[in-house]
Amino acid sequence: MRERMPHLTSREMYRSGMNIGRDLIGANCQTLILAFTGSMLTTLMVVIAVVLTVPFSAALTALAVKQKPPLRIGDE
């Protein structure tokens, strides 16, 4: 950088380097987040399927419309 732009002060050089580094880190973070999400997609789908079973979602619906939640089989 110093060879191409010798007129820049040390402060301007530092700021330029920080901007370049911020751009590189941002791109790397996005890549890592997408890679992690893609590799965990199957696990996330299983967890969501287990958490959102029919009785649980029916209870949430009942709460939304302020009704008594349905009982599960075997509950009394």
Side-chain angles (χ1 to χ4, degrees):
M1 230 22 212
R2 180 68 70 188
E3 290 176 9
R4 294 203 180 245
M5 299 178 152
H7 63 279
L8 292 180
T9 64
S10 295
R11 185 181 189 118
E12 291 171 331
M13 293 285 281
Y14 178 79
R15 190 177 310 157
S16 176
M18 291 299 287
N19 286 335
I20 292 169
R22 192 175 301 122
D23 289 342
L24 291 173
I25 293 296
N28 286 337
C29 286
Q30 287 178 354
T31 302
L32 290 174
I33 289 169
L34 290 173
F36 176 74
T37 305
S39 66
M40 293 297 294
L41 190 59
T42 306
T43 305
L44 288 173
M45 288 172 38
V46 169
V47 168
I48 290 171
V50 169
V51 169
L52 297 178
T53 59
V54 174
F56 183 74
S57 62
L60 287 179
T61 304
L63 288 174
V65 295
K66 297 184 171 114
Q67 294 177 353
K68 185 177 178 182
L71 295 175
R72 293 182 184 213
I73 297 174
D75 290 344
E76 293 186 22

